[in-house]
Amino acid sequence: MSRRTEYRNEVKIRLDDRTYEGLLAWKALNGIDYASTAGGRAIQLFLFGTVGNLPANLLDRSSAEARFGTEVPA
């Protein structure tokens, strides 16, 4: 019977402890199952911003309807 190869968490090995803990917190916050998936999504967010990552139900909303400031209608 052959001995099973020891499992190595490549994400944890490649990142420093502070970064890995931050990734795990971000993974839990976003409901992602795997650290590698969370890392890929975090990199995508960093490189391409939030526009490509918004849920579909938020993409067809217009910001023109929002009113900012203290302007009083005449």
Side-chain angles (χ1 to χ4, degrees):
M1 188 165 143
S2 66
R3 185 173 174 196
R4 184 177 170 188
T5 306
E6 185 177 329
Y7 171 75
R8 293 177 50 180
N9 185 342
E10 289 292 329
V11 177
K12 187 174 184 178
I13 291 170
R14 307 267 183 228
L15 299 175
D16 60 63
D17 291 338
R18 181 175 176 239
T19 305
Y20 184 70
E21 292 298 322
L23 181 66
L24 292 181
W26 191 79
K27 177 183 93 135
L29 182 67
N30 288 287
I32 301 171
D33 294 331
Y34 303 104
S36 58
T37 304
R41 289 189 188 167
I43 292 168
Q44 182 182 22
L45 181 64
F46 176 77
L47 291 174
F48 302 113
T50 59
V51 175
N53 296 306
L54 290 175
N57 61 350
L58 294 178
L59 291 178
D60 59 353
R61 303 294 186 255
S62 172
S63 62
E65 299 171 359
R67 297 186 186 269
F68 297 103
T70 57
E71 182 179 333
V72 178

